[in-house]
Amino acid sequence: MAGKKKEKKVKDKRPFKEKFKSFLSKNKILLIIFSIILLLGGGVGLIVTGYLEYNRATREAYVVAGMKAMEDGNFHKAQSLLLKATYLKAPEAYPFLAWLSAKSGNFTKALDYCRETAKYPEIHGSYEVMGYLSLLGYGNAQGAGSALFFFDEAMKSYSEEYLKNHNPLLSMYEKSISLCMNKQDYIRMVDEAQKKGSTIALLYRGDLDFLGEENDLSPKSAAKSWEDAKNSGILEAQTRLASLLWYGYGKRRDYRTAMRYFEDAAKKHEPAANYSLGLIRLRQGKKTSYAEGMRYMKNAAKMNYGPALTAVGVNAIIKTKDFSKIASAAADIFKQAYDCGDTTGGILYALMMMNGMGVATDQTEALSILYDLKTSGVQSVGAMLKYFTYNTDVDSKRVFNQAIALISDQYMGKYCFAEGAPEAKMYHEQKESGALSYYVPQKDDRDRYTDEFIADLGKNYVEKLDKPEDIEINGEKLLYPEITQILDMYNPTTGAKAFMPQAVMEISASMPTLPSNYDKYNIDFETILNNFDEFY
């Protein structure tokens, strides 16, 4: 059976124009629908793009407005504007909110903003603050280990170009030392800062070794660290070395070199050197030495060195013929000394407050000061409170008068109850037979010096310590033996400080940076920093 012949398709020979018209005619409805869809899609796209651009510009505007408010010194307004920027999803505002909160002492809020920042992996501006907060005990990740991790993260916000001429990591390590709340973190941060080349960490490392804060007493290691710090320009290290030589801790006593170091540091306005040199001069007993001694004391007092402020106040009371005329000024200076960390000034101020001398009578506040000092480990206060508690015939004014007279005599070297630097009592404790000793008493070192040299030292040379039970003030025995301990800084000092957690009121972190798209706004970060210091 023969198959059908396949029909050939007839080629449309019409012109293209007629073909196109025919296509439009046949597909008119479909084309209209497709056109409407395209128009709607394009419109929606334009609307979305416009909205996103508007939102971005608005976010940016709030951030810039916040920065400009800080340039004008209006930080409350700045916080409000930056917070609005975060509502519009501007994560670059969070580091500045964290920075502002940390600088103003609102650490809980600073932590909240840091946590918000951490949700954006590309932003690292809050990690420095987080590191400091971890040392202060805020957040889940705490301690030196966490701080070091956060500081490494913070480094990601700096450009390679910036890091060629700056070392922000070293700055973070050094700032963190004063924020440590426990000795373990403190030692870790001191050591880490020292590894990074910190010169101030050398000073603190020396303090740790000298005072035996981490291991056994090691004055030789301390001397090495202090020598390196001194050679790097740390002035306090020179005072520490001067005192080390003055007493001979771990090395041969060398009065002459010690004096040269003290005098050089004092000329450069180092407070502890001025105070120590003041005591030395007061005790030499020469015609001009008293005036020199008081000049050094007043220099240290001008630098708000607490022990020197107390010394100036005591001297004023001793020299006056009418206490009532200077009582108010004396109370003020003892209060200032206490605020600067001097326990002796705090005790004298509390005694004045108990008796309404130069300050309104306030037994509650006075006792509060004394109990705070006792809590911080001031032994003389415990004995005083015990005296007040267990004696029926208590006269706090007599305690004050005896304390003032005795302290003045101690300044002048009339009485000496302990040899050596006040902070180095552990070097003078009775050692077991055969135990290593780093101190030679002055009397055992006598044969190294001529009679003329010893005479020149005056009361600075002590062969025999006084006993509290032998002391009389204006013909009266001491009310209780520990009154001799009220003067805390009774001898020249190294200035070495044992670790003690500090009350932290603010965190001075570096100011965060903004993304490069904000460069066109020419924000003056230096002015912001200056304004902040003035504002707070």
Side-chain angles (χ1 to χ4, degrees):
M1 178 170 145
K4 286 186 180 180
K5 220 174 188 181
K6 197 170 182 179
E7 293 182 5
K8 289 185 178 180
K9 192 172 181 180
V10 181
K11 190 174 180 180
D12 191 349
K13 296 182 179 180
R14 290 179 299 167
F16 174 77
K17 192 173 181 180
E18 288 184 17
K19 290 179 186 178
F20 184 68
K21 284 182 179 179
S22 175
F23 175 79
L24 290 177
S25 176
K26 290 177 181 178
N27 300 283
K28 185 185 296 183
I29 296 175
L30 287 174
L31 288 171
I32 290 173
I33 293 172
F34 181 70
S35 298
I36 291 172
I37 291 172
L38 280 177
L39 286 172
L40 287 174
V44 170
L46 287 172
I47 291 170
V48 170
T49 302
Y51 172 76
L52 291 174
E53 178 60 25
Y54 170 78
N55 196 32
R56 184 201 63 77
T58 304
R59 291 199 312 266
E60 202 168 279
Y62 272 116
V63 172
V64 172
M67 302 305 291
K68 293 298 181 182
M70 286 195 281
E71 280 186 32
D72 295 334
N74 192 339
F75 290 93
H76 293 312
K77 181 180 179 182
Q79 284 182 304
S80 176
L81 290 166
L82 291 170
L83 201 55
K84 287 180 180 177
T86 64
Y87 296 154
L88 295 170
K89 306 300 181 186
E92 63 269 28
Y94 281 121
F96 288 92
L97 288 167
W99 178 78
L100 284 168
S101 298
K103 289 276 282 183
S104 58
N106 192 341
F107 301 145
T108 302
K109 204 67 181 172
L111 179 63
D112 290 340
Y113 291 133
C114 285
R115 284 172 168 166
E116 289 298 325
T117 308
K119 295 176 181 178
Y120 302 88
E122 73 279 8
I123 297 178
H124 306 94
S126 289
Y127 280 106
E128 181 180 348
V129 173
M130 286 186 77
Y132 299 141
L133 290 173
S134 68
L135 290 169
L136 291 174
Y138 287 84
N140 296 324
Q142 299 179 11
S146 297
L148 293 170
F149 169 78
F150 289 136
F151 294 152
D152 285 341
E153 290 296 302
M155 290 296 290
K156 295 177 182 178
S157 65
Y158 294 97
S159 67
E160 290 183 9
E161 189 66 29
Y162 180 85
L163 293 175
K164 288 179 181 178
N165 300 308
H166 301 85
N167 193 347
L169 188 60
L170 174 59
S171 177
M172 292 178 210
Y173 283 11
E174 289 184 334
K175 288 178 183 177
S176 69
I177 291 172
S178 63
L179 302 178
C180 295
M181 292 291 108
N182 62 71
K183 190 183 293 185
Q184 183 179 359
D185 284 347
Y186 176 78
I187 293 171
R188 175 84 181 273
M189 293 314 304
V190 167
D191 288 344
E192 292 293 336
Q194 186 179 346
K195 290 176 188 175
K196 293 293 181 183
S198 169
T199 53
I200 196 66
L202 287 169
L203 183 79
Y204 300 143
R205 182 67 252 177
D207 289 359
L208 288 167
D209 290 336
F210 179 69
L211 300 173
E213 290 271 89
E214 183 179 16
N215 300 304
D216 293 333
L217 297 174
S218 184
K220 292 183 180 180
S221 297
K224 175 64 171 63
S225 294
W226 289 341
E227 190 68 44
D228 290 344
K230 172 182 170 291
N231 294 336
S232 299
I234 303 298
L235 189 57
E236 296 95 321
Q238 185 164 317
T239 301
R240 282 158 168 72
L241 287 168
S243 196
L244 206 69
L245 291 165
W246 181 262
Y247 295 113
Y249 291 121
K251 56 172 58 188
R252 213 169 155 86
R253 186 179 276 114
D254 187 345
Y255 290 117
R256 289 186 175 89
T257 305
M259 285 297 291
R260 191 169 72 250
Y261 278 16
F262 273 136
E263 287 170 351
D264 185 59
K267 286 177 184 176
K268 295 173 182 175
H269 310 292
E270 206 288 303
N274 275 276
Y275 179 80
S276 296
L277 202 51
L279 284 179
I280 292 169
R281 293 301 191 204
L282 287 175
R283 293 170 181 177
Q284 281 187 294
K286 298 179 181 178
K287 289 183 179 179
T288 58
S289 63
Y290 177 82
E292 282 186 60
M294 287 311 301
R295 177 169 59 83
Y296 284 119
M297 284 293 183
K298 288 175 182 177
N299 286 342
K302 288 175 184 176
M303 293 178 259
N304 283 329
Y305 188 63
L309 286 163
T310 297
V312 170
V314 169
N315 181 69
I317 293 173
I318 290 295
K319 293 297 181 183
T320 188
K321 293 181 179 179
D322 188 351
F323 174 67
S324 63
K325 289 183 178 180
I326 68 159
S328 179
D332 285 343
I333 200 168
F334 291 148
K335 172 65 164 59
Q336 186 181 350
Y338 175 54
D339 290 340
C340 292
D342 184 52
T343 61
T344 305
I347 293 169
L348 296 177
Y349 179 65
L351 290 170
M352 292 187 78
M353 190 180 291
M354 281 183 175
N355 293 280
M357 296 185 291
V359 63
T361 303
D362 191 335
Q363 295 283 341
T364 302
E365 178 62 21
L367 287 171
S368 176
I369 291 172
L370 293 177
Y371 276 109
D372 284 345
L373 290 171
K374 181 187 176 185
T375 301
S376 64
V378 181
Q379 293 181 352
S380 63
V381 176
M384 179 182 290
L385 292 171
K386 185 176 179 181
Y387 167 76
F388 288 156
T389 304
Y390 296 105
N391 284 273
T392 54
D393 185 23
V394 171
D395 187 345
S396 58
K397 189 172 184 178
R398 285 176 64 204
V399 174
F400 174 79
N401 290 336
Q402 282 201 353
I404 290 290
L406 186 57
I407 289 170
S408 177
D409 287 341
Q410 287 174 274
Y411 287 144
M412 301 302 296
K414 182 178 178 180
Y415 300 120
C416 181
F417 303 100
E419 240 185 289
E423 65 279 4
K425 293 183 178 73
M426 65 288 290
Y427 285 86
H428 305 269
E429 294 170 354
Q430 187 66 39
K431 303 288 184 181
E432 294 180 6
S433 178
L436 188 62
S437 177
Y438 294 107
Y439 179 77
V440 177
Q442 285 181 305
K443 64 182 178 62
D444 296 337
D445 215 12
R446 173 69 177 81
D447 58 357
R448 292 181 53 216
Y449 302 99
T450 63
D451 292 340
E452 184 181 3
F453 186 82
I454 295 298
D456 188 59
L457 287 175
K459 298 292 180 63
N460 290 293
Y461 180 76
V462 179
E463 285 198 347
K464 184 180 179 182
L465 298 178
D466 294 292
K467 297 179 180 179
E469 58 267 25
D470 297 334
I471 307 301
E472 290 187 356
I473 302 294
N474 296 325
E476 286 187 335
K477 290 286 188 181
L478 297 181
L479 295 170
Y480 59 96
E482 292 83 2
I483 203 167
T484 59
Q485 299 173 11
I486 290 178
L487 179 58
D488 184 49
M489 201 62 67
Y490 49 82
N491 278 339
T493 175
T494 63
K497 296 180 177 66
F499 169 74
M500 180 69 69
Q502 303 298 311
V504 179
M505 306 307 293
E506 65 173 273
I507 294 176
S508 296
S510 303
M511 180 179 279
T513 56
L514 284 168
S516 58
N517 56 296
Y518 285 89
D519 292 347
K520 60 182 176 285
Y521 297 108
N522 298 316
I523 295 166
D524 191 342
F525 291 96
E526 187 174 342
T527 296
I528 292 173
L529 282 171
N530 293 335
N531 286 342
F532 193 94
D533 291 337
E534 292 177 10
F535 186 78
Y536 287 97

